[in-house]
Amino acid sequence: MKASIPYAIGGFPLFEHDVFSENRFPLRVKSGLAFSGSCTKAESRPVRRVMAEAPGLLRGKRGLILGVANSRSLAWGIAKACRAQGADLAFTYQGEPIKKRVEPLAAQLGARVFGHCDVADPATIDAVFETARELWGSLDFVVHAIAYSDKDQLDGRYVDTTPDNFNKTLLVSCYSFTAVAQRAEKMMPRGGSMLTLTYYGSEKWIPHYNVMGIAKAALEASVRYLAADLGTKNIRVNAISSGPIKTLAAAGVGDFRYILKWNEQNSPLRRNVSVEDVGEAAVFLLSDMSRSVTAEILHVDAGYNIIGMKHPEAPDIDITIAKEIAKE
Ligand code: NAD
């Protein structure tokens, strides 16, 4: 089979989507420079170095991203990284105030906006997927970056969680991923990749994370159950467990700056992570590079999840000091 190679700006070739899915590896290039013409399937070889450097890992793929609120959102970091790798994107927004922020961001990436989606209202999820079906017909990936809990209960003790907030938190932050997966499955006839976002507060106690920690534990279990259900259709389901990042949602967690400072000073890499770090890890999970990875919770947290105790060299900080540092 002959396959032509389109050229990218910057000297690296952009590979056609069907070349990736049929051959699994990009066509051979010499010293990172594209050669002209075409080559046969037999001539193709795994060239992992080039694959890591070349743009276009998501070229030809269409992805729906739920959860962009503003330019600090993890979903925005993921969107930028996916677009940089050639994906065609669509966003949703939750309500008019967020629409005003999402539309200009979508324009920056040439992305579509598929409308309002409140995951607590199934009709709005249906409407978004109907729009996706009409405009795109099928989907290659979906990103779920949505969480909500009453701010008053992300402070103090978990034991004081009310039944109403427990239900709402689990519905919006956990079940909604399953609701999205039900609809996305029908639009992935050739397989696909589903990704959600979680946090270490699902595995270990984190101050004030409370009911959100329970929701994230259930979300991570859903990743495994969804992966088992959808694997036979070549649909992969994974999560990124991100380190703490200052976003709108994170601002609702009590003493979040203290959590940030503690992570920065004690993680193996001695720093916090950015939405760009999360975005580039997401590209791996959404692309064919991770074709054999499913049901995985990938920690993108500068290694913090392996820490059992404060590092002896890390300064002692308490909440008061962390607040002072944050003001500087
Ligand atoms: P964010 O505030 O930028 O994004 C949260 C999004 O959830 C918003 O777009 C909001 O509109 C959406 N949302 C909330 N309720 C909704 C509903 N009923 N229907 C539809 N959308 C709804 O914050 P973020 O930190 O980027 O959060 C994205 C995801 O990343 C969340 O799942 C969060 O738990 C997770 N996460 C965040 C951090 C962090 O430190 N920021 C760390 C690990 C995981």
Side-chain angles (χ1 to χ4, degrees), residues 67-70 72-75 94 98 117-120 145-148 172 197-199 209 212 216 241-250 256:
V68 177
N70 55 39
R72 292 184 159 197
S73 296
L74 271 58
Q94 182 204 10
I98 294 183
C117 179
D118 180 340
V119 293
I146 288 175
Y148 172 82
V172 172
L197 277 302
T198 184
Y199 176 60
Y209 204 59
M212 193 58 86
K216 292 299 192 192
S241 182
S242 167
I245 299 178
K246 213 167 135 192
T247 63
L248 209 57
F256 186 72

PDB file of all heavy atoms in Angstrom, residues 67-70 72-75 94 98 117-120 145-148 172 197-199 209 212 216 241-250 256, ligand 1:
ATOM      1  N   GLY A  67     -15.156  20.448  30.045  1.00  0.00           N
ATOM      2  CA  GLY A  67     -14.565  20.931  31.289  1.00  0.00           C
ATOM      3  C   GLY A  67     -13.641  22.120  31.159  1.00  0.00           C
ATOM      4  O   GLY A  67     -12.984  22.492  32.129  1.00  0.00           O
ATOM      5  N   VAL A  68     -13.599  22.758  29.974  1.00  0.00           N
ATOM      6  CA  VAL A  68     -12.839  24.011  29.894  1.00  0.00           C
ATOM      7  C   VAL A  68     -13.685  25.095  30.561  1.00  0.00           C
ATOM      8  O   VAL A  68     -14.842  25.298  30.191  1.00  0.00           O
ATOM      9  CB  VAL A  68     -12.534  24.428  28.429  1.00  0.00           C
ATOM     10  CG1 VAL A  68     -11.806  25.783  28.405  1.00  0.00           C
ATOM     11  CG2 VAL A  68     -11.701  23.373  27.716  1.00  0.00           C
ATOM     12  N   ALA A  69     -13.110  25.752  31.574  1.00  0.00           N
ATOM     13  CA  ALA A  69     -13.805  26.895  32.199  1.00  0.00           C
ATOM     14  C   ALA A  69     -13.071  28.188  31.872  1.00  0.00           C
ATOM     15  O   ALA A  69     -13.686  29.224  31.644  1.00  0.00           O
ATOM     16  CB  ALA A  69     -13.887  26.708  33.714  1.00  0.00           C
ATOM     17  N   ASN A  70     -11.749  28.113  31.846  1.00  0.00           N
ATOM     18  CA  ASN A  70     -10.928  29.291  31.524  1.00  0.00           C
ATOM     19  C   ASN A  70      -9.520  28.812  31.160  1.00  0.00           C
ATOM     20  O   ASN A  70      -9.277  27.600  31.064  1.00  0.00           O
ATOM     21  CB  ASN A  70     -10.911  30.284  32.706  1.00  0.00           C
ATOM     22  CG  ASN A  70     -10.451  29.613  33.988  1.00  0.00           C
ATOM     23  OD1 ASN A  70      -9.539  28.793  33.968  1.00  0.00           O
ATOM     24  ND2 ASN A  70     -11.086  29.936  35.102  1.00  0.00           N
ATOM     25  N   ARG A  72      -6.960  28.601  32.836  1.00  0.00           N
ATOM     26  CA  ARG A  72      -6.231  27.868  33.883  1.00  0.00           C
ATOM     27  C   ARG A  72      -6.689  26.412  33.991  1.00  0.00           C
ATOM     28  O   ARG A  72      -6.123  25.624  34.750  1.00  0.00           O
ATOM     29  CB  ARG A  72      -6.451  28.536  35.241  1.00  0.00           C
ATOM     30  CG  ARG A  72      -5.813  29.879  35.314  1.00  0.00           C
ATOM     31  CD  ARG A  72      -5.962  30.461  36.686  1.00  0.00           C
ATOM     32  NE  ARG A  72      -4.967  31.480  36.895  1.00  0.00           N
ATOM     33  CZ  ARG A  72      -4.621  31.959  38.070  1.00  0.00           C
ATOM     34  NH1 ARG A  72      -5.193  31.501  39.153  1.00  0.00           N
ATOM     35  NH2 ARG A  72      -3.706  32.881  38.162  1.00  0.00           N
ATOM     36  N   SER A  73      -7.760  26.085  33.294  1.00  0.00           N
ATOM     37  CA  SER A  73      -8.339  24.739  33.403  1.00  0.00           C
ATOM     38  C   SER A  73      -7.388  23.658  32.908  1.00  0.00           C
ATOM     39  O   SER A  73      -6.696  23.843  31.898  1.00  0.00           O
ATOM     40  CB  SER A  73      -9.613  24.647  32.551  1.00  0.00           C
ATOM     41  OG  SER A  73     -10.598  25.515  33.021  1.00  0.00           O
ATOM     42  N   LEU A  74      -7.411  22.515  33.579  1.00  0.00           N
ATOM     43  CA  LEU A  74      -6.641  21.366  33.090  1.00  0.00           C
ATOM     44  C   LEU A  74      -7.103  21.007  31.677  1.00  0.00           C
ATOM     45  O   LEU A  74      -6.297  20.638  30.818  1.00  0.00           O
ATOM     46  CB  LEU A  74      -6.824  20.161  34.023  1.00  0.00           C
ATOM     47  CG  LEU A  74      -5.823  20.056  35.194  1.00  0.00           C
ATOM     48  CD1 LEU A  74      -5.830  21.261  36.100  1.00  0.00           C
ATOM     49  CD2 LEU A  74      -6.056  18.788  35.987  1.00  0.00           C
ATOM     50  N   ALA A  75      -8.414  21.119  31.444  1.00  0.00           N
ATOM     51  CA  ALA A  75      -8.963  20.795  30.115  1.00  0.00           C
ATOM     52  C   ALA A  75      -8.366  21.702  29.035  1.00  0.00           C
ATOM     53  O   ALA A  75      -8.165  21.266  27.897  1.00  0.00           O
ATOM     54  CB  ALA A  75     -10.475  20.923  30.131  1.00  0.00           C
ATOM     55  N   GLN A  94     -20.511  25.035  30.540  1.00  0.00           N
ATOM     56  CA  GLN A  94     -21.601  24.879  31.505  1.00  0.00           C
ATOM     57  C   GLN A  94     -22.165  26.262  31.819  1.00  0.00           C
ATOM     58  O   GLN A  94     -21.623  26.992  32.638  1.00  0.00           O
ATOM     59  CB  GLN A  94     -21.070  24.210  32.777  1.00  0.00           C
ATOM     60  CG  GLN A  94     -22.128  23.970  33.823  1.00  0.00           C
ATOM     61  CD  GLN A  94     -21.534  23.879  35.219  1.00  0.00           C
ATOM     62  OE1 GLN A  94     -20.358  24.169  35.437  1.00  0.00           O
ATOM     63  NE2 GLN A  94     -22.367  23.501  36.182  1.00  0.00           N
ATOM     64  N   ILE A  98     -19.685  30.811  31.538  1.00  0.00           N
ATOM     65  CA  ILE A  98     -18.518  30.051  31.062  1.00  0.00           C
ATOM     66  C   ILE A  98     -18.455  30.089  29.536  1.00  0.00           C
ATOM     67  O   ILE A  98     -17.371  30.130  28.944  1.00  0.00           O
ATOM     68  CB  ILE A  98     -18.527  28.612  31.639  1.00  0.00           C
ATOM     69  CG1 ILE A  98     -18.323  28.695  33.154  1.00  0.00           C
ATOM     70  CG2 ILE A  98     -17.440  27.747  31.003  1.00  0.00           C
ATOM     71  CD1 ILE A  98     -18.244  27.397  33.880  1.00  0.00           C
ATOM     72  N   CYS A 117     -23.546  22.142  28.333  1.00  0.00           N
ATOM     73  CA  CYS A 117     -23.673  20.787  28.882  1.00  0.00           C
ATOM     74  C   CYS A 117     -23.560  20.861  30.394  1.00  0.00           C
ATOM     75  O   CYS A 117     -22.509  21.230  30.924  1.00  0.00           O
ATOM     76  CB  CYS A 117     -22.574  19.886  28.317  1.00  0.00           C
ATOM     77  SG  CYS A 117     -22.658  18.217  28.980  1.00  0.00           S
ATOM     78  N   ASP A 118     -24.647  20.562  31.064  1.00  0.00           N
ATOM     79  CA  ASP A 118     -24.634  20.400  32.520  1.00  0.00           C
ATOM     80  C   ASP A 118     -24.834  18.921  32.757  1.00  0.00           C
ATOM     81  O   ASP A 118     -25.914  18.382  32.486  1.00  0.00           O
ATOM     82  CB  ASP A 118     -25.762  21.220  33.155  1.00  0.00           C
ATOM     83  CG  ASP A 118     -25.767  21.076  34.674  1.00  0.00           C
ATOM     84  OD1 ASP A 118     -25.176  20.096  35.184  1.00  0.00           O
ATOM     85  OD2 ASP A 118     -26.363  21.930  35.344  1.00  0.00           O
ATOM     86  N   VAL A 119     -23.797  18.261  33.261  1.00  0.00           N
ATOM     87  CA  VAL A 119     -23.861  16.793  33.360  1.00  0.00           C
ATOM     88  C   VAL A 119     -24.914  16.305  34.351  1.00  0.00           C
ATOM     89  O   VAL A 119     -25.240  15.126  34.371  1.00  0.00           O
ATOM     90  CB  VAL A 119     -22.478  16.163  33.665  1.00  0.00           C
ATOM     91  CG1 VAL A 119     -21.527  16.349  32.497  1.00  0.00           C
ATOM     92  CG2 VAL A 119     -21.889  16.713  34.961  1.00  0.00           C
ATOM     93  N   ALA A 120     -25.439  17.238  35.168  1.00  0.00           N
ATOM     94  CA  ALA A 120     -26.541  16.845  36.066  1.00  0.00           C
ATOM     95  C   ALA A 120     -27.869  16.805  35.299  1.00  0.00           C
ATOM     96  O   ALA A 120     -28.883  16.380  35.855  1.00  0.00           O
ATOM     97  CB  ALA A 120     -26.617  17.819  37.239  1.00  0.00           C
ATOM     98  N   ALA A 145     -13.222  16.464  32.158  1.00  0.00           N
ATOM     99  CA  ALA A 145     -12.448  17.206  33.170  1.00  0.00           C
ATOM    100  C   ALA A 145     -13.436  18.017  34.010  1.00  0.00           C
ATOM    101  O   ALA A 145     -13.424  19.252  33.996  1.00  0.00           O
ATOM    102  CB  ALA A 145     -11.418  18.102  32.498  1.00  0.00           C
ATOM    103  N   ILE A 146     -14.294  17.298  34.704  1.00  0.00           N
ATOM    104  CA  ILE A 146     -15.436  17.906  35.398  1.00  0.00           C
ATOM    105  C   ILE A 146     -15.493  17.424  36.840  1.00  0.00           C
ATOM    106  O   ILE A 146     -15.363  16.221  37.101  1.00  0.00           O
ATOM    107  CB  ILE A 146     -16.740  17.518  34.654  1.00  0.00           C
ATOM    108  CG1 ILE A 146     -16.815  18.271  33.324  1.00  0.00           C
ATOM    109  CG2 ILE A 146     -17.969  17.776  35.517  1.00  0.00           C
ATOM    110  CD1 ILE A 146     -17.996  17.868  32.462  1.00  0.00           C
ATOM    111  N   ALA A 147     -15.663  18.358  37.748  1.00  0.00           N
ATOM    112  CA  ALA A 147     -15.872  17.988  39.152  1.00  0.00           C
ATOM    113  C   ALA A 147     -16.622  19.113  39.846  1.00  0.00           C
ATOM    114  O   ALA A 147     -16.470  20.282  39.487  1.00  0.00           O
ATOM    115  CB  ALA A 147     -14.536  17.748  39.847  1.00  0.00           C
ATOM    116  N   TYR A 148     -17.409  18.730  40.816  1.00  0.00           N
ATOM    117  CA  TYR A 148     -18.123  19.743  41.616  1.00  0.00           C
ATOM    118  C   TYR A 148     -18.455  19.184  42.998  1.00  0.00           C
ATOM    119  O   TYR A 148     -18.854  18.024  43.131  1.00  0.00           O
ATOM    120  CB  TYR A 148     -19.442  20.165  40.943  1.00  0.00           C
ATOM    121  CG  TYR A 148     -20.256  21.053  41.863  1.00  0.00           C
ATOM    122  CD1 TYR A 148     -19.984  22.408  41.963  1.00  0.00           C
ATOM    123  CD2 TYR A 148     -21.236  20.501  42.695  1.00  0.00           C
ATOM    124  CE1 TYR A 148     -20.676  23.207  42.861  1.00  0.00           C
ATOM    125  CE2 TYR A 148     -21.937  21.298  43.595  1.00  0.00           C
ATOM    126  CZ  TYR A 148     -21.650  22.653  43.669  1.00  0.00           C
ATOM    127  OH  TYR A 148     -22.328  23.433  44.576  1.00  0.00           O
ATOM    128  N   VAL A 172     -21.961  14.463  39.709  1.00  0.00           N
ATOM    129  CA  VAL A 172     -21.244  15.349  38.778  1.00  0.00           C
ATOM    130  C   VAL A 172     -19.784  14.907  38.583  1.00  0.00           C
ATOM    131  O   VAL A 172     -19.277  14.936  37.460  1.00  0.00           O
ATOM    132  CB  VAL A 172     -21.305  16.816  39.280  1.00  0.00           C
ATOM    133  CG1 VAL A 172     -20.404  17.722  38.440  1.00  0.00           C
ATOM    134  CG2 VAL A 172     -22.737  17.321  39.278  1.00  0.00           C
ATOM    135  N   LEU A 197      -9.995  12.968  34.718  1.00  0.00           N
ATOM    136  CA  LEU A 197      -8.986  13.563  35.596  1.00  0.00           C
ATOM    137  C   LEU A 197      -9.297  13.219  37.048  1.00  0.00           C
ATOM    138  O   LEU A 197     -10.440  13.374  37.487  1.00  0.00           O
ATOM    139  CB  LEU A 197      -8.986  15.089  35.448  1.00  0.00           C
ATOM    140  CG  LEU A 197      -8.203  15.735  34.306  1.00  0.00           C
ATOM    141  CD1 LEU A 197      -6.721  15.346  34.376  1.00  0.00           C
ATOM    142  CD2 LEU A 197      -8.748  15.398  32.950  1.00  0.00           C
ATOM    143  N   THR A 198      -8.263  12.780  37.762  1.00  0.00           N
ATOM    144  CA  THR A 198      -8.462  12.454  39.161  1.00  0.00           C
ATOM    145  C   THR A 198      -7.345  13.068  39.998  1.00  0.00           C
ATOM    146  O   THR A 198      -6.490  13.788  39.471  1.00  0.00           O
ATOM    147  CB  THR A 198      -8.562  10.920  39.351  1.00  0.00           C
ATOM    148  OG1 THR A 198      -8.848  10.642  40.723  1.00  0.00           O
ATOM    149  CG2 THR A 198      -7.285  10.204  38.939  1.00  0.00           C
ATOM    150  N   TYR A 199      -7.383  12.801  41.294  1.00  0.00           N
ATOM    151  CA  TYR A 199      -6.395  13.384  42.211  1.00  0.00           C
ATOM    152  C   TYR A 199      -6.072  12.385  43.319  1.00  0.00           C
ATOM    153  O   TYR A 199      -6.906  11.546  43.696  1.00  0.00           O
ATOM    154  CB  TYR A 199      -6.938  14.709  42.791  1.00  0.00           C
ATOM    155  CG  TYR A 199      -6.034  15.340  43.813  1.00  0.00           C
ATOM    156  CD1 TYR A 199      -4.736  15.714  43.474  1.00  0.00           C
ATOM    157  CD2 TYR A 199      -6.462  15.542  45.125  1.00  0.00           C
ATOM    158  CE1 TYR A 199      -3.888  16.273  44.421  1.00  0.00           C
ATOM    159  CE2 TYR A 199      -5.627  16.109  46.073  1.00  0.00           C
ATOM    160  CZ  TYR A 199      -4.334  16.466  45.723  1.00  0.00           C
ATOM    161  OH  TYR A 199      -3.503  17.005  46.660  1.00  0.00           O
ATOM    162  N   TYR A 209     -10.100  17.614  51.370  1.00  0.00           N
ATOM    163  CA  TYR A 209     -10.557  17.075  50.078  1.00  0.00           C
ATOM    164  C   TYR A 209     -11.871  16.299  50.261  1.00  0.00           C
ATOM    165  O   TYR A 209     -12.708  16.216  49.349  1.00  0.00           O
ATOM    166  CB  TYR A 209      -9.451  16.222  49.435  1.00  0.00           C
ATOM    167  CG  TYR A 209      -9.586  16.122  47.938  1.00  0.00           C
ATOM    168  CD1 TYR A 209      -9.582  17.261  47.132  1.00  0.00           C
ATOM    169  CD2 TYR A 209      -9.724  14.884  47.307  1.00  0.00           C
ATOM    170  CE1 TYR A 209      -9.715  17.170  45.755  1.00  0.00           C
ATOM    171  CE2 TYR A 209      -9.849  14.787  45.928  1.00  0.00           C
ATOM    172  CZ  TYR A 209      -9.852  15.940  45.170  1.00  0.00           C
ATOM    173  OH  TYR A 209      -9.987  15.846  43.804  1.00  0.00           O
ATOM    174  N   MET A 212     -14.854  14.813  47.937  1.00  0.00           N
ATOM    175  CA  MET A 212     -14.270  14.736  46.593  1.00  0.00           C
ATOM    176  C   MET A 212     -13.301  13.560  46.511  1.00  0.00           C
ATOM    177  O   MET A 212     -13.171  12.922  45.453  1.00  0.00           O
ATOM    178  CB  MET A 212     -13.566  16.056  46.264  1.00  0.00           C
ATOM    179  CG  MET A 212     -13.203  16.200  44.822  1.00  0.00           C
ATOM    180  SD  MET A 212     -14.612  16.077  43.697  1.00  0.00           S
ATOM    181  CE  MET A 212     -15.168  17.754  43.719  1.00  0.00           C
ATOM    182  N   LYS A 216     -13.524  10.711  43.751  1.00  0.00           N
ATOM    183  CA  LYS A 216     -12.392  10.363  42.866  1.00  0.00           C
ATOM    184  C   LYS A 216     -12.051   8.876  42.983  1.00  0.00           C
ATOM    185  O   LYS A 216     -11.661   8.247  41.990  1.00  0.00           O
ATOM    186  CB  LYS A 216     -11.164  11.225  43.194  1.00  0.00           C
ATOM    187  CG  LYS A 216     -11.330  12.714  42.861  1.00  0.00           C
ATOM    188  CD  LYS A 216     -11.575  12.970  41.386  1.00  0.00           C
ATOM    189  CE  LYS A 216     -11.437  14.434  41.029  1.00  0.00           C
ATOM    190  NZ  LYS A 216     -11.951  14.745  39.682  1.00  0.00           N
ATOM    191  N   SER A 241      -3.963  11.261  37.092  1.00  0.00           N
ATOM    192  CA  SER A 241      -4.025  11.775  38.459  1.00  0.00           C
ATOM    193  C   SER A 241      -3.037  12.933  38.523  1.00  0.00           C
ATOM    194  O   SER A 241      -1.827  12.740  38.616  1.00  0.00           O
ATOM    195  CB  SER A 241      -3.668  10.672  39.462  1.00  0.00           C
ATOM    196  OG  SER A 241      -3.787  11.173  40.772  1.00  0.00           O
ATOM    197  N   SER A 242      -3.574  14.126  38.430  1.00  0.00           N
ATOM    198  CA  SER A 242      -2.732  15.321  38.360  1.00  0.00           C
ATOM    199  C   SER A 242      -2.340  15.793  39.756  1.00  0.00           C
ATOM    200  O   SER A 242      -3.125  15.700  40.700  1.00  0.00           O
ATOM    201  CB  SER A 242      -3.513  16.438  37.645  1.00  0.00           C
ATOM    202  OG  SER A 242      -2.853  17.681  37.815  1.00  0.00           O
ATOM    203  N   GLY A 243      -1.124  16.326  39.849  1.00  0.00           N
ATOM    204  CA  GLY A 243      -0.755  17.037  41.066  1.00  0.00           C
ATOM    205  C   GLY A 243      -1.602  18.292  41.181  1.00  0.00           C
ATOM    206  O   GLY A 243      -2.306  18.665  40.239  1.00  0.00           O
ATOM    207  N   PRO A 244      -1.568  18.960  42.354  1.00  0.00           N
ATOM    208  CA  PRO A 244      -2.409  20.144  42.532  1.00  0.00           C
ATOM    209  C   PRO A 244      -1.997  21.297  41.620  1.00  0.00           C
ATOM    210  O   PRO A 244      -0.811  21.556  41.432  1.00  0.00           O
ATOM    211  CB  PRO A 244      -2.187  20.513  44.006  1.00  0.00           C
ATOM    212  CG  PRO A 244      -0.894  19.884  44.381  1.00  0.00           C
ATOM    213  CD  PRO A 244      -0.733  18.667  43.527  1.00  0.00           C
ATOM    214  N   ILE A 245      -2.990  21.955  41.044  1.00  0.00           N
ATOM    215  CA  ILE A 245      -2.769  23.105  40.154  1.00  0.00           C
ATOM    216  C   ILE A 245      -3.828  24.137  40.510  1.00  0.00           C
ATOM    217  O   ILE A 245      -4.999  23.787  40.715  1.00  0.00           O
ATOM    218  CB  ILE A 245      -2.918  22.696  38.666  1.00  0.00           C
ATOM    219  CG1 ILE A 245      -1.884  21.625  38.287  1.00  0.00           C
ATOM    220  CG2 ILE A 245      -2.783  23.917  37.749  1.00  0.00           C
ATOM    221  CD1 ILE A 245      -1.977  21.130  36.848  1.00  0.00           C
ATOM    222  N   LYS A 246      -3.414  25.411  40.551  1.00  0.00           N
ATOM    223  CA  LYS A 246      -4.351  26.467  40.940  1.00  0.00           C
ATOM    224  C   LYS A 246      -5.371  26.713  39.822  1.00  0.00           C
ATOM    225  O   LYS A 246      -5.044  27.312  38.799  1.00  0.00           O
ATOM    226  CB  LYS A 246      -3.556  27.737  41.217  1.00  0.00           C
ATOM    227  CG  LYS A 246      -4.149  28.591  42.304  1.00  0.00           C
ATOM    228  CD  LYS A 246      -3.136  29.627  42.710  1.00  0.00           C
ATOM    229  CE  LYS A 246      -3.781  30.982  42.845  1.00  0.00           C
ATOM    230  NZ  LYS A 246      -2.787  32.044  42.963  1.00  0.00           N
ATOM    231  N   THR A 247      -6.567  26.216  40.007  1.00  0.00           N
ATOM    232  CA  THR A 247      -7.654  26.438  39.042  1.00  0.00           C
ATOM    233  C   THR A 247      -8.882  26.899  39.825  1.00  0.00           C
ATOM    234  O   THR A 247      -8.876  26.895  41.054  1.00  0.00           O
ATOM    235  CB  THR A 247      -8.026  25.130  38.307  1.00  0.00           C
ATOM    236  OG1 THR A 247      -8.507  24.195  39.276  1.00  0.00           O
ATOM    237  CG2 THR A 247      -6.866  24.535  37.539  1.00  0.00           C
ATOM    238  N   LEU A 248      -9.941  27.206  39.071  1.00  0.00           N
ATOM    239  CA  LEU A 248     -11.188  27.628  39.706  1.00  0.00           C
ATOM    240  C   LEU A 248     -11.695  26.549  40.665  1.00  0.00           C
ATOM    241  O   LEU A 248     -12.027  26.828  41.826  1.00  0.00           O
ATOM    242  CB  LEU A 248     -12.225  27.851  38.596  1.00  0.00           C
ATOM    243  CG  LEU A 248     -13.320  28.870  38.829  1.00  0.00           C
ATOM    244  CD1 LEU A 248     -12.724  30.236  39.127  1.00  0.00           C
ATOM    245  CD2 LEU A 248     -14.210  28.940  37.567  1.00  0.00           C
ATOM    246  N   ALA A 249     -11.727  25.305  40.200  1.00  0.00           N
ATOM    247  CA  ALA A 249     -12.238  24.205  41.029  1.00  0.00           C
ATOM    248  C   ALA A 249     -11.348  24.012  42.258  1.00  0.00           C
ATOM    249  O   ALA A 249     -11.846  23.820  43.376  1.00  0.00           O
ATOM    250  CB  ALA A 249     -12.317  22.922  40.211  1.00  0.00           C
ATOM    251  N   ALA A 250     -10.034  24.081  42.061  1.00  0.00           N
ATOM    252  CA  ALA A 250      -9.111  23.842  43.172  1.00  0.00           C
ATOM    253  C   ALA A 250      -9.238  24.920  44.248  1.00  0.00           C
ATOM    254  O   ALA A 250      -9.047  24.643  45.438  1.00  0.00           O
ATOM    255  CB  ALA A 250      -7.680  23.791  42.649  1.00  0.00           C
ATOM    256  N   PHE A 256      -5.855  25.299  50.019  1.00  0.00           N
ATOM    257  CA  PHE A 256      -5.263  24.723  48.811  1.00  0.00           C
ATOM    258  C   PHE A 256      -3.806  25.171  48.618  1.00  0.00           C
ATOM    259  O   PHE A 256      -2.962  24.409  48.148  1.00  0.00           O
ATOM    260  CB  PHE A 256      -6.107  25.074  47.580  1.00  0.00           C
ATOM    261  CG  PHE A 256      -5.612  24.394  46.340  1.00  0.00           C
ATOM    262  CD1 PHE A 256      -5.796  23.036  46.159  1.00  0.00           C
ATOM    263  CD2 PHE A 256      -4.920  25.099  45.362  1.00  0.00           C
ATOM    264  CE1 PHE A 256      -5.302  22.388  45.039  1.00  0.00           C
ATOM    265  CE2 PHE A 256      -4.437  24.459  44.226  1.00  0.00           C
ATOM    266  CZ  PHE A 256      -4.639  23.101  44.072  1.00  0.00           C
TER     267      PHE A 256
HETATM  268  P1  NAD B   1     -11.845  24.023  36.424  1.00  0.00           P
HETATM  269  O1  NAD B   1     -12.657  24.803  37.393  1.00  0.00           O
HETATM  270  O2  NAD B   1     -11.061  24.772  35.450  1.00  0.00           O
HETATM  271  O3  NAD B   1     -12.724  22.938  35.673  1.00  0.00           O
HETATM  272  C1  NAD B   1     -13.814  22.296  36.281  1.00  0.00           C
HETATM  273  C2  NAD B   1     -14.866  22.155  35.211  1.00  0.00           C
HETATM  274  O4  NAD B   1     -15.961  21.381  35.704  1.00  0.00           O
HETATM  275  C3  NAD B   1     -15.440  23.510  34.782  1.00  0.00           C
HETATM  276  O5  NAD B   1     -15.326  23.658  33.389  1.00  0.00           O
HETATM  277  C4  NAD B   1     -16.902  23.433  35.170  1.00  0.00           C
HETATM  278  O6  NAD B   1     -17.758  24.114  34.299  1.00  0.00           O
HETATM  279  C5  NAD B   1     -17.116  21.926  35.083  1.00  0.00           C
HETATM  280  N1  NAD B   1     -18.328  21.497  35.775  1.00  0.00           N
HETATM  281  C6  NAD B   1     -18.619  21.538  37.096  1.00  0.00           C
HETATM  282  N2  NAD B   1     -19.877  21.101  37.311  1.00  0.00           N
HETATM  283  C7  NAD B   1     -20.388  20.776  36.083  1.00  0.00           C
HETATM  284  C8  NAD B   1     -21.633  20.283  35.622  1.00  0.00           C
HETATM  285  N3  NAD B   1     -22.653  20.042  36.466  1.00  0.00           N
HETATM  286  N4  NAD B   1     -21.795  20.063  34.290  1.00  0.00           N
HETATM  287  C9  NAD B   1     -20.787  20.305  33.418  1.00  0.00           C
HETATM  288  N5  NAD B   1     -19.601  20.788  33.797  1.00  0.00           N
HETATM  289  C10 NAD B   1     -19.395  21.023  35.117  1.00  0.00           C
HETATM  290  O7  NAD B   1     -10.895  23.118  37.350  1.00  0.00           O
HETATM  291  P2  NAD B   1      -9.850  21.969  37.014  1.00  0.00           P
HETATM  292  O8  NAD B   1      -8.956  21.905  38.202  1.00  0.00           O
HETATM  293  O9  NAD B   1      -9.266  22.161  35.679  1.00  0.00           O
HETATM  294  O10 NAD B   1     -10.761  20.666  37.049  1.00  0.00           O
HETATM  295  C11 NAD B   1     -10.832  19.737  35.971  1.00  0.00           C
HETATM  296  C12 NAD B   1     -10.699  18.328  36.523  1.00  0.00           C
HETATM  297  O11 NAD B   1      -9.370  18.126  36.990  1.00  0.00           O
HETATM  298  C13 NAD B   1     -11.618  18.015  37.696  1.00  0.00           C
HETATM  299  O12 NAD B   1     -12.106  16.695  37.577  1.00  0.00           O
HETATM  300  C14 NAD B   1     -10.675  18.108  38.867  1.00  0.00           C
HETATM  301  O13 NAD B   1     -11.107  17.368  39.986  1.00  0.00           O
HETATM  302  C15 NAD B   1      -9.434  17.511  38.249  1.00  0.00           C
HETATM  303  N6  NAD B   1      -8.197  17.727  38.972  1.00  0.00           N
HETATM  304  C16 NAD B   1      -7.812  18.990  39.297  1.00  0.00           C
HETATM  305  C17 NAD B   1      -6.651  19.175  40.026  1.00  0.00           C
HETATM  306  C18 NAD B   1      -6.209  20.552  40.440  1.00  0.00           C
HETATM  307  O14 NAD B   1      -5.393  20.654  41.360  1.00  0.00           O
HETATM  308  N7  NAD B   1      -6.690  21.605  39.802  1.00  0.00           N
HETATM  309  C19 NAD B   1      -5.860  18.072  40.389  1.00  0.00           C
HETATM  310  C20 NAD B   1      -6.270  16.803  40.022  1.00  0.00           C
HETATM  311  C21 NAD B   1      -7.451  16.634  39.317  1.00  0.00           C
END
